[in-house]
Amino acid sequence: MSRKPTPAQSGDRSRTELVFDRPQLMAQLFGEFDKNLLALESRLGVYITARGNKVGLEGTAESVAQARDVLHGLYNRISRGEVVDTGLIEAVIAMSAEPTLAGIIQADTGGGAPQIMIRTRKKTIVPRTMAQAHYMRQLLNNDIIFALGPAGTGKTYIAVAQAVAQLITGSVQRLILSRPAVEAGEKLGFLPGDMKEKVDPYLRPLYDALNDCLPAEQVERRIASGEIEIAPIAFMRGRTLSDAFIILDEAQNTTPAQMKMFLTRFGENSRMVVCGDPKQTDLPGGMSASGLNDAVGRLEGVEGLSICRFGSADVVRHPIVGRIVEAYEGKSD
């Protein structure tokens, strides 16, 4: 890989060369047709040359230092079996600017496993942002966790992964996933099928997260045996949920009465995670009618309860999603 250098925007130019000790990993690091390196050049304003297991960097001192850290970070993740995609590249770039990056992942020179991770049957999940790292710590240390923020920040996905990990190890006996079946322009009664078939479309994101963490046959078997239960929030009334990992998704679409009902289902040896975007409620009354906003206002500071907040910088989908979130958050409703 060799291209004409692009002029630096500002500052003195700097050059450095990186040498990686496992040439067989270079194809994954560089990406097909060097697309990963092209993405780094575009995002960081550096010029990159690559030959064999050697990578040359040229640009401002700051951009070269950041590109070096990002490449080392990506290389170490590939060494641990992670797949490099656009979301991971963006996440590592964002994390490279954080002064406490070493608190999330062991130093590049260590080559060890990350200090924070969630292991499931199909993959190992590590944090891609500072907020995700904090969230994963709280999932281990608190009984009830509220995860607040826009779509694409990993709130539900990480909670499902942690729930599956605890189910596998036997820390909990059941996994209960719930979501309000809020009607957004189409009445439930107009949909074909029985009650399960009517509500399943609303619960599809939870199935998707489960299938990403467990083989499909295990998901089906555990649902059939009752180890995994996926149901609308209305089905939670009158129950006490013990020895369970309980997740409420899209919690911004609950009413205050529904939220109180759900939170008071909490039983012995359980963990509860409430996920939602306070700014995206579909309830007729808007944000003021949301049980999520009401609960956060009442419960922040309660012992044993943690509130984790995510922003547009924590979006780990396509980079444009973060920019869309920023554009919408910058305008009043």
Side-chain angles (χ1 to χ4, degrees):
M1 171 182 170
S2 180
R3 289 179 299 280
K4 184 178 178 180
T6 54
Q9 296 298 315
S10 62
D12 295 333
R13 294 191 68 79
S14 175
R15 295 181 180 84
T16 191
E17 183 178 78
L18 310 180
V19 180
F20 298 95
D21 56 5
R22 297 175 65 184
Q24 66 271 27
L25 300 182
M26 293 302 97
Q28 296 177 62
L29 180 64
F30 298 164
E32 187 178 13
F33 303 117
D34 295 330
K35 66 177 183 180
N36 296 341
L37 300 184
L38 290 169
L40 288 179
E41 284 190 330
S42 174
R43 287 284 281 105
L44 300 179
V46 292
Y47 165 57
I48 303 177
T49 58
R51 292 183 179 86
N53 64 331
K54 297 180 180 180
V55 177
L57 303 174
E58 182 178 347
T60 65
E62 182 180 356
S63 62
V64 165
Q66 190 175 6
R68 180 197 61 216
D69 291 344
V70 169
L71 284 168
H72 277 305
L74 291 173
Y75 178 79
N76 285 333
R77 286 172 178 245
I78 292 169
S79 300
R80 296 193 294 265
E82 293 186 51
V83 177
V84 175
D85 55 21
T86 303
L88 179 59
I89 292 173
E90 290 294 324
V92 175
I93 288 174
M95 292 169 69
S96 68
E98 296 285 350
T100 56
L101 177 61
I104 299 179
I105 301 175
Q106 289 179 353
D108 289 336
T109 55
Q115 296 174 339
I116 307 169
M117 66 172 69
I118 299 172
R119 295 187 184 276
T120 68
R121 285 279 189 262
K122 293 180 71 174
K123 60 172 59 177
T124 297
I125 293 93
V126 296
R128 291 190 170 188
T129 69
M130 297 290 290
Q132 285 188 359
H134 174 68
Y135 182 36
M136 291 168 74
R137 290 191 188 99
Q138 298 311 307
L139 287 172
L140 295 173
N141 298 325
N142 284 285
D143 295 326
I144 298 178
I145 300 96
F146 281 79
L148 314 177
T153 51
K155 305 183 302 295
T156 304
Y157 188 89
I158 291 174
V160 170
Q162 180 64 39
V164 168
Q166 291 197 213
L167 186 65
I168 291 171
T169 60
S171 299
V172 296
Q173 302 303 311
R174 294 182 294 164
L175 169 52
I176 299 172
L177 307 174
S178 187
R179 202 180 195 202
V182 172
E183 301 164 353
E186 184 174 24
K187 297 293 184 182
L188 279 174
F190 296 162
L191 297 174
D194 57 21
M195 179 55 69
K196 182 181 184 300
E197 292 171 325
K198 288 177 185 290
V199 301
D200 267 0
Y202 294 89
L203 304 172
R204 189 72 255 168
L206 298 176
Y207 285 105
D208 291 343
L210 275 176
N211 286 320
D212 219 21
C213 297
L214 283 172
E217 63 274 10
Q218 283 200 30
V219 174
E220 294 175 5
R221 176 172 56 81
R222 291 175 187 268
I223 289 176
S225 69
E227 283 183 271
I228 297 177
E229 178 182 350
I230 305 177
I233 191 172
F235 289 22
M236 300 295 110
R237 190 172 298 279
R239 303 174 62 184
T240 299
L241 307 176
S242 302
D243 297 305
F245 198 113
I246 311 142
I247 299 172
L248 175 61
D249 192 28
E250 296 292 330
Q252 73 274 8
N253 288 328
T254 61
T255 65
Q258 285 177 319
M259 179 61 75
K260 179 182 177 183
M261 178 274 292
F262 184 82
L263 292 173
T264 54
R265 300 307 93 199
F266 191 83
E268 293 293 328
N269 191 36
S270 289
R271 182 148 294 158
M272 181 179 285
V273 183
V274 178
C275 305
D277 183 353
K279 299 181 180 180
Q280 292 295 319
T281 180
D282 296 315
L283 296 172
M287 292 171 59
S288 61
S290 172
L292 178 61
N293 292 328
D294 178 71
V296 171
R298 294 175 183 272
L299 301 176
E300 188 156 17
V302 171
E303 184 178 355
L305 185 147
S306 174
I307 297 176
C308 300
R309 290 181 169 88
F310 297 84
S312 59
D314 300 305
V315 173
V316 292
R317 293 179 181 170
H318 192 284
I320 198 172
V321 176
R323 295 194 289 271
I324 290 171
V325 171
E326 288 179 347
Y328 272 90
E329 287 184 345
K331 297 182 183 296
S332 58
D333 294 331

